[in-house]
Amino acid sequence: MKDMAAKKFTLIGNRLEVDFVNTIYPRGVFCSWNDLVAFLEATGTIGRGEASRLRARGRREPEFCARAFGQAIMLRSVLREALAAIEARRPVPPHCAGAINTVLRSLEGYAQLMPAGKGWRLGFVARSLDPLQAMAPIAHSAAELFEKADTAPVRKCANPECVLYFYDTSRTGRRRWCSMAICGNRHKVAAFAQRRASR
Ligand SMILES: [Zn+2]
């Protein structure tokens, strides 16, 4: 299930909030509460149990969850703005921090060790009823990024037509493409054609 869900999304960002911003591509993949749940599951942010609880909630309270999804989309565009600022070495605008704080405020619950394979992972059990708190892990990760915004290696893919961002964790720190398969090869092919044409 996790692999199937993962294929739906372009998870090349190296950070949760960056991958979330990238759900804008491919178009039409991220358009409902269930897609948000699938994204959280595909990124390993929530387990299968939590995912089915959130899906059940979507069936039980469709309007409530649709509204939360609308807020998620708004948060996504604000985060996109923040990534553009970080990439350009500009300060993260205050309204971006404000949007993150709104999500963090919706959070009520406690940390718990949960079984993960043969070991354990530290998870979070929600106590509040606000569906917006499904976004909390994304907000947390974004908050961490904002804290180190002045040095964070956030970049946009070098293909000007590409909308994807990534957090460069490469050894050389010179990653240029969202992925070799999506944009890197296309660039190589175009450069090759250009060299041939100019011969
Ligand atoms: Zn790209």
Side-chain angles (χ1 to χ4, degrees):
M1 178 65 204
K2 194 177 157 181
D3 291 345
M4 226 175 78
K7 269 186 204 137
K8 202 170 145 171
F9 301 103
T10 311
L11 304 178
I12 52 88
N14 288 333
R15 286 186 65 94
L16 181 60
E17 73 284 11
V18 179
D19 279 331
F20 179 61
V21 165
N22 286 344
T23 56
I24 199 168
Y25 173 90
R27 223 179 276 271
V29 155
F30 195 80
C31 34
S32 71
W33 171 254
N34 276 350
D35 293 333
L36 173 60
V37 177
F39 171 77
L40 293 170
E41 197 180 4
T43 50
T45 311
I46 56 172
R48 195 179 290 191
E50 179 64 11
S52 43
R53 264 193 299 281
L54 289 175
R55 274 190 210 102
R57 184 135 194 229
R59 287 191 295 275
R60 225 169 39 237
E61 302 168 89
E63 280 167 30
F64 206 31
C65 291
R67 204 164 51 233
F69 178 74
Q71 284 171 291
I73 291 295
M74 260 162 15
L75 183 73
R76 185 176 70 177
S77 69
V78 164
L79 273 174
R80 197 172 178 79
E81 221 182 305
L83 292 191
I86 294 170
E87 191 200 17
R89 293 278 175 258
R90 284 185 276 112
V92 173
H95 74 273
C96 298
I100 297 297
N101 278 342
T102 302
V103 179
L104 293 177
R105 262 199 304 277
S106 74
L107 196 62
E108 205 183 305
Y110 46 92
Q112 287 281 277
L113 281 167
M114 298 172 176
K118 287 179 183 161
W120 299 92
R121 71 176 179 91
L122 188 60
F124 185 82
V125 178
R127 201 153 33 186
S128 110
L129 292 173
D130 189 342
L132 189 62
Q133 70 172 2
M135 301 295 298
I138 297 172
H140 261 285
S141 190
E144 275 173 27
L145 182 72
F146 287 12
E147 278 185 333
K148 53 182 179 189
D150 48 349
T151 55
V154 167
R155 269 183 225 125
K156 202 177 148 288
C157 175
N159 174 3
E161 281 158 37
C162 180
V163 294
L164 300 175
Y165 278 91
F166 56 86
Y167 185 86
D168 188 0
T169 54
S170 68
R171 202 173 41 81
T172 56
R174 287 167 155 185
R175 178 174 161 192
R176 294 183 63 201
W177 313 106
C178 57
S179 86
M180 215 48 208
I182 303 177
C183 288
N185 275 336
R186 198 180 298 160
H187 173 79
K188 265 199 333 210
V189 170
F192 179 73
Q194 208 167 39
R195 273 200 305 276
R196 267 174 68 134
S198 63
R199 249 190 232 158

